[in-house]
């Protein structure tokens, strides 16, 4: 198991918690809504053999502070990278984390080497959930995800969701995304992008994947057959292989191209 360095960085009135392991070109793992950096436990050892892996808690989740005013997830990430002395990165983002990664690629293209999304959606994407659905983990999505996972993994996911503060259900999130939203600016993303989704995930995420591949010039897709919303958890060996193959392929991608 790789040695893990932990720390926090003060950003715009908040504190962002992070963990770093491994050695090599930097890769940032960005978790989804209602969970935290621990969702990547099956990726850390595999990726840190070849890469410096940075896993962190988004503002409002895990060990990071709750929002206390307007903020931008992608600027929090930029500040974190500056704090740890990293110039450019590859990003692996799950669901909300994919949204953050895409916003970052638009707002900070000079720091984006490549992007991998897992059930990622661009900012500005309209979900087909009924009006008035409260923010937070989608119960049906969570239920379907748990059914696909092994008992051990399902228990682990339940524990992460139980640890989630539910802050977003009780407060109006002052988060700011890129403006105009990423959904109309996908053509601005010049870095290579791998768009992934589980075959059993909800239709919205397949629709978003189609949008991303259609709108981003240097993109391709991978479908995890038999997987749900979290292929990194229900099919970790395949997920790690696909991610490492893409990272290795673009290891020497020049940001100046």
């Amino acid at each position: 198991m790789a040695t893990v360095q932990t720390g926090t960085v003060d950003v715009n009135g908040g504190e962002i918690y992070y963990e770093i392991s491994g050695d090599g070109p930097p890769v940032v793992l960005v978790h989804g809504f209602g969970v935290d950096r621990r969702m990547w436990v099956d990726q850390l050892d595999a990726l840190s053999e070849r890469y410096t892996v940075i896993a962190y808690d988004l503002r409002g989740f895990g060990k990071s502070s709750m929002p206390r005013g307007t903020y931008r997830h992608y600027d929090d990430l930029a500040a974190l990278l500056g704090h740890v002395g990293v110039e450019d990165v590859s990003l692996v983002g799950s669901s909300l984390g994919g949204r953050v990664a895409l916003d970052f690629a638009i707002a900070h293209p000079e720091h984006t080497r490549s992007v991998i999304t897992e059930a990622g959606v661009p900012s500005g994407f309209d979900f087909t959930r009924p009006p008035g659905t409260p923010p937070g983990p989608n119960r049906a999505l969570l239920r379907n995800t748990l059914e696909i996972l092994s008992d051990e993994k399902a228990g682990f996911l339940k524990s992460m969701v139980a640890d989630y503060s539910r802050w977003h259900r009780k407060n109006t999130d002052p988060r700011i995304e890129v403006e105009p939203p990423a959904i109309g600016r996908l053509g601005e993303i010049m870095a290579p992008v791998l768009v992934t989704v589980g075959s059993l995930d909800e239709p919205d995420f397949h629709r978003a994947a189609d949008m991303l591949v259609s709108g981003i010039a240097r993109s391709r897709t991978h479908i995890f057959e038999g997987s749900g919303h979290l292929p990194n958890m229900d099919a970790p060996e395949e997920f790690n292989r696909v991610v490492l193959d893409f990272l290795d392929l673009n290891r020497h991608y020049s940001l100046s191209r």
Side-chain angles (χ1 to χ4, degrees):
M1 182 175 293
T3 302
V4 178
Q5 169 193 344
T6 66
T8 59
V9 56
D10 294 334
V11 185
N12 186 28
E15 299 80 42
I16 304 300
Y17 175 83
Y18 64 88
E19 298 179 349
I20 302 178
S21 58
D23 186 40
V27 176
V28 176
L29 306 179
V30 193
H31 65 80
F33 198 103
V35 291
D36 54 57
R37 76 204 175 282
R38 293 175 294 169
M39 69 165 285
W40 303 111
V41 64
D42 289 326
Q43 282 65 61
L44 295 180
D45 284 347
L47 270 59
S48 62
E49 289 181 0
R50 306 184 205 174
Y51 294 90
T52 297
V53 180
I54 304 170
Y56 75 106
D57 289 333
L58 293 167
R59 191 184 300 233
F61 302 93
K63 292 185 177 181
S64 291
S65 61
M66 298 301 107
R68 293 191 287 265
T70 57
Y71 70 100
R72 297 173 175 84
H73 279 311
Y74 57 89
D75 281 345
D76 285 353
L77 176 53
L80 169 58
L81 297 180
H83 175 75
V84 299
V86 168
E87 288 292 326
D88 55 82
V89 296
S90 293
L91 303 170
V92 183
S94 175
S95 200
L96 170 62
R99 192 181 188 108
V100 175
L102 294 166
D103 273 3
F104 183 91
I106 291 172
H108 302 285
E110 72 281 7
H111 298 306
T112 308
R113 184 171 295 277
S114 64
V115 177
I116 300 170
T117 64
E118 175 188 55
V121 300
S123 54
F125 180 84
D126 289 325
F127 284 93
T128 56
R129 297 172 187 171
T133 300
N138 179 333
R139 289 184 175 87
L141 176 61
L142 177 60
R143 183 171 59 251
N144 293 339
T145 302
L146 290 170
E147 289 176 353
I148 294 171
L149 292 170
S150 67
D151 290 344
E152 180 182 1
K153 293 288 181 64
F156 179 55
L157 179 58
K158 286 179 181 178
S159 70
M160 275 194 291
V161 174
D163 288 342
Y164 166 53
S165 68
R166 307 303 195 270
W167 185 93
H168 303 81
R169 289 196 185 279
K170 306 168 187 174
N171 300 274
T172 299
D173 189 357
R175 178 181 77 197
I176 299 173
E177 297 175 318
V178 290
E179 184 60 38
I183 195 168
R185 303 172 63 183
L186 298 178
E188 297 179 29
I189 300 177
M190 294 292 104
V193 177
L194 176 63
V195 178
T196 78
V197 65
S199 65
L200 304 180
D201 205 350
E202 292 186 341
D204 273 342
F205 296 102
H206 286 270
R207 181 164 59 91
D210 291 341
M211 287 183 179
L212 295 177
V213 174
S214 297
I216 300 172
R218 302 189 63 186
S219 64
R220 57 191 178 91
T221 189
H222 180 89
I223 306 296
F224 291 99
E225 294 297 334
S227 285
H229 192 61
L230 299 175
N232 72 294
M233 292 185 68
D234 65 45
E237 292 185 1
E238 181 185 2
F239 184 86
N240 294 347
R241 175 180 56 78
V242 169
V243 167
L244 283 168
D245 285 350
F246 187 77
L247 291 174
D248 290 347
L249 179 66
N250 295 286
R251 189 181 182 100
H252 302 294
Y253 170 73
S254 173
L255 298 178
S256 63
R257 291 178 187 174

